[in-house]
Amino acid sequence: MNERLVLSDEVAQALRRRKPVVALETTLVTHGLPHPQGLEAALELEAVVRAAGATPATVGILDGAVRVGIARAELERLAGERDVAKVNLGNLAAVVASNTPGSTTVAATMFVAAEAGIRVFATGGIGGVHRDAAQSGDVSADLTALGRFPVAVVCAGAKAILDLPRTVEMLETLGVPVLGLGTEEFPSFYRRSSGQRVDRRCESADELARVVRAHWELGSRTGVLVANPIPEADELPLAAYERALEGALAEAAERGLRGREVTPFLLDRLRELTGGATVKANLALLRNNAGVAAELARALAREA
Ligand code: PSU
Ligand code: MN
């Protein structure tokens, strides 16, 4: 393989033995959650994946290499360092070449997972088409990656900070199947509903695995999006959430924020404006997604 891509012994062995492996991203650790909750979340997600019978492969960039499966001390290092780069498809090479630490977004993690031969990946919510995309042109590279790399991404939909109808349209344009686990609706991260539809409702990990497998066996090389809604008990109350969202979006516009800083800014303002409720919801949906991803990886490994 590729010497810039360093697999931990555990991940390498699991892949060699065709055991179920679940990739995990690190941007949510460094940019999506406040310190030290990001680190705690990363460790907890690894534990959830293990408890469900799969091997976690947390992806990050350290010492000039992309690491697939990072040890606890390294994760602590990444979470503890300031100025960790948020890495997507465009700046990956620059961060690796400059020997600076980086955390991988959904886009970069999908790319790395595909290169490493990992088929399943759990995150919180994907990036998508931003609400002001008509002016700013801001469309997340997560969508590009979904259209390009054959990895099943388990998420709670896309954050409602985005333009969800246009995000769902774009997934269709890219030919990415959107499968709802126990739902017909595309979830909106902190909420179970969005008014948008999924392509197909599935009731179990086995059913998800059948569709995912069919997609790739047909010869498609795109990703598959598994939309797993936040548990009902963990949803944010709608009114409080909408108020906070309005405030956060207005502030981002006022400050003229652009590019990679937009999503972390909005997440952080939502946290402040809801008194930490968004972080609690975020952690709940992350755990939920890690569990489903592990089950999906196991179902895919069984059929292999
Ligand atoms: N979901 C979360 N927290 C996050 C993100 C997603 O719960 O921090 C991150 C993911 O890493 C995703 C990125 O890839 O935000 C999208 O950023 P952008 O909109 O700049 O593409
Ligand atoms: Mn963007």
Side-chain angles (χ1 to χ4, degrees), residues 25 27-28 32 86 105-106 125 130 140 142 159 189 263 267 282:
E25 58 142 317
T27 291
L28 67 94
K86 173 180 166 186
T105 59
V106 169
H130 281 262
S140 176
D142 293 358
K159 288 169 286 273
F189 203 63
T263 299
L267 291 177
N282 201 336

Side-chain angles (χ1 to χ4, degrees), residues 50-116:
R50 280 185 210 286
T55 301
T58 302
V59 176
I61 297 155
L62 283 165
D63 309 319
V66 178
R67 310 287 297 274
V68 185
I70 46 187
R72 186 190 171 119
E74 295 169 322
L75 201 55
E76 280 172 5
R77 211 178 114 200
L78 201 62
E81 285 209 52
R82 296 222 258 130
D83 301 324
V84 173
K86 173 180 166 186
V87 174
N88 57 36
L89 302 174
N91 63 344
L92 176 61
V95 173
V96 168
S98 63
N99 261 308
T100 49
S103 59
T104 52
T105 59
V106 169
T109 310
M110 279 189 83
F111 166 68
V112 170
E115 285 290 308

Side-chain angles (χ1 to χ4, degrees), residues 34 52 55 57-58 86 112 115 119 128-129 133 152 170 184 206 221 240-241 244 246 257 262 269 290 295 302 304:
T55 301
T58 302
K86 173 180 166 186
V112 170
E115 285 290 308
R119 289 308 182 100
V129 180
M170 186 63 87
E184 270 107 43
D206 282 327
R221 288 289 166 266
Y241 172 50
E246 226 170 89
L257 291 186
V262 173
R269 281 306 286 148
E295 282 178 42
R302 264 199 303 278

Side-chain angles (χ1 to χ4, degrees), residues 192 230-236 280:
R192 295 175 62 84
I230 184 171
E232 239 165 272
D234 299 303
E235 274 190 298
L236 279 192
K280 242 180 105 216

Side-chain angles (χ1 to χ4, degrees), residues 110 114 119 144-151 174-177 212-224:
M110 279 189 83
R119 289 308 182 100
T144 313
L146 279 159
R148 234 180 241 177
F149 307 120
V151 176
L174 292 166
V176 176
V212 168
R213 183 161 280 281
H215 183 65
W216 291 329
E217 280 176 358
L218 284 164
S220 174
R221 288 289 166 266
T222 75
V224 177

